[in-house]
Amino acid sequence: MKTIVVSAVNIRKGGTLTILRNCLEYLSGLAQSGNYRVVALVHKKDLACYPGIEYIELPWTIKNWVLRLWCEYVTMYGISKQLSPVYLWLSLHDTTPNVKAERRAVYCHNPFSFYPWKWKDLFLNYHIVCFAWFTKYIYKINLHKNFRVLVQQQWLRENFIRMFHLPRQKVVVTLPAKVNPVPQTMKVAPGTSVYTFLYPSYGDIHKNFELLCRAATSLENEMGIGKFRVILTLSGKENKYTRMLYKKWGKTSSLEFAGFMDKQRLYDTYARADCLVFPSKVETWGLPISEYAESGKPMLLADLPYTHETAAGSKQTAFFALNDADGLKDYMRRLVSHDTSFLSAVPELDIEPPQSSTWGELFDILLQ
């Protein structure tokens, strides 16, 4: 019986937690087949509890980065010796731990190594700048000892190959699971005379909300109040960055600081919105793009590699330059005026192997 270890001690929420759950759900089947022993190192077992899997809880690792690194390079080495022999050790959160295993693999989902940060970002959220600066050095540690390096998009593979001098065959494009079928109500036109744009995201500096706020304010000055509205999933109270946004643009009538939305409310808002806007400067994927593309309605996206890949197959899409508020404003004005002639379909993406689109395909690569 071969032993598979999954380390995910820093994963507690969001998209990475979904990845952990999907991964362990698949491995639960392997474990119950009797051919594999599966051990998961997690923050708390209750976050992703599946039959047939052995759990080791390490809640103390989230207190600070010193403890996290100690866990990765000291604690996990001891655990790997206790579990020896380990056939495959899969790290689901960027770092390649110091362990004894026949094969190692790391899932790299943090894109901040490629984030074009500016000095002003230090004052709004220095954590993001630190991530952008340190992540590439954390990635480097033990990276070449991996049997496979997993990334979510082709552009990330190309950057990893170039930045870390990895052999192409070692880097696997691991596509996220397809978006769950979207309720039919999401595809229903909102039936209102006020054209509605939506940017659903959390309030961090790399999300580039200020570009959309500038474009909306300029368009309101040009067209007047009541011709369109822009819904932001921020309250303006979350952190220093969102407070800055609200202070500067909170009085713009066309901007609606709607606050955090749970999944049901977000899907209801998708239904009412006429167009998705997504100006984020860096993403591993950009889930709202995948979700909203199911509606077939227009999308305005930052002209970056990740958006082109995520929007592949969408029908009504246009791309704007990352810092071009005037260009975004022009696209918005044309949509408000019912001009969609500039929108086009995004070609489907042909991804070179090795690549996987299911956990079964991925573990075929990792275990064979």
Side-chain angles (χ1 to χ4, degrees), residues 6 9 19 24 47 57 71 90 97 107 113 117 146 165 169 186 193 201 248 254 267 286 298:
V6 176
V9 296
I19 290 170
L24 294 185
L47 290 171
E57 295 180 314
C71 178
L90 171 59
Y107 197 124
S113 295
W117 62 273
N146 285 291
H165 309 291
Q169 284 301 112
M186 176 178 155
S193 60
S201 192
K248 197 165 185 177
S254 301
Y267 273 34

Side-chain angles (χ1 to χ4, degrees), residues 71-332:
C71 178
E72 294 287 338
Y73 305 120
V74 179
T75 304
M76 288 189 188
Y77 181 75
I79 293 173
S80 71
K81 290 178 68 176
Q82 293 172 16
L83 298 175
S84 183
V86 174
Y87 181 67
L88 172 66
W89 189 294
L90 171 59
S91 172
L92 284 183
H93 44 33
D94 304 311
T95 49
T96 304
N98 182 34
V99 295
K100 291 176 66 68
E102 186 173 337
R103 290 183 176 182
R104 285 186 252 182
V106 60
Y107 197 124
C108 298
H109 55 76
N110 188 324
F112 287 117
S113 295
F114 315 103
Y115 171 51
W117 62 273
K118 299 181 182 300
W119 286 108
K120 67 176 183 178
D121 295 344
L122 277 170
F123 301 100
L124 294 173
N125 191 331
Y126 71 90
H127 291 102
I128 296 296
V129 177
C130 289
F131 276 134
W133 201 79
F134 285 115
T135 298
K136 62 182 177 182
Y137 298 106
I138 296 297
Y139 271 148
K140 281 183 180 179
I141 301 173
N142 295 331
L143 186 64
H144 284 265
K145 294 181 179 179
N146 285 291
F147 172 64
R148 291 287 188 266
V149 174
L150 316 178
V151 297
Q152 286 190 337
Q153 290 193 326
Q154 180 81 2
W155 77 270
L156 276 171
R157 170 157 63 191
E158 297 305 321
N159 277 280
F160 266 74
I161 290 170
R162 183 175 64 253
M163 180 178 285
F164 302 116
H165 309 291
L166 291 166
R168 181 170 294 275
Q169 284 301 112
K170 181 173 279 194
V171 188
V172 182
V173 176
T174 308
L175 299 173
K178 289 187 178 296
V179 177
N180 291 331
V182 176
Q184 281 298 116
T185 53
M186 176 178 155
K187 303 180 182 182
V188 176
T192 173
S193 60
V194 179
Y195 198 96
T196 301
F197 299 93
L198 169 66
Y199 181 20
S201 192
Y202 59 87
D204 242 328
I205 54 174
H206 66 286
K207 296 298 184 175
N208 202 19
F209 278 92
E210 61 270 28
L211 182 77
L212 179 53
C213 289
R214 285 199 297 269
T217 301
S218 179
L219 185 60
E220 182 181 294
N221 291 337
E222 182 179 305
M223 298 190 74
I225 295 172
K227 299 298 173 60
F228 70 96
R229 64 173 177 159
V230 178
I231 300 175
L232 310 177
T233 55
L234 306 174
S235 68
K237 300 176 182 178
E238 292 87 351
N239 53 44
K240 187 181 292 186
Y241 173 63
T242 62
R243 287 193 292 272
M244 178 276 291
L245 293 172
Y246 190 80
K247 181 178 180 180
K248 197 165 185 177
W249 290 290
K251 294 184 179 179
T252 299
S253 298
S254 301
L255 286 172
E256 180 181 335
F257 286 77
F260 171 79
M261 297 184 183
D262 60 26
K263 190 170 184 177
Q264 183 58 56
R265 185 183 171 201
L266 178 61
Y267 273 34
D268 290 344
T269 308
Y270 281 156
R272 297 198 307 273
D274 296 287
C275 175
L276 180 85
V277 186
F278 208 84
S280 179
K281 296 178 182 178
V282 66
E283 297 286 336
T284 307
W285 186 259
L287 181 59
I289 298 173
S290 296
E291 292 176 331
Y292 196 82
E294 292 291 314
S295 72
K297 294 188 284 189
M299 297 192 297
L300 303 179
L301 312 176
D303 191 6
L304 292 170
Y306 83 85
T307 59
H308 285 266
E309 291 197 40
T310 306
S314 61
K315 304 303 181 185
Q316 297 191 81
T317 304
F319 298 92
F320 54 87
L322 189 60
N323 298 307
D324 186 7
D326 287 336
L328 175 56
K329 179 196 73 171
D330 182 60
Y331 282 162
M332 294 169 69

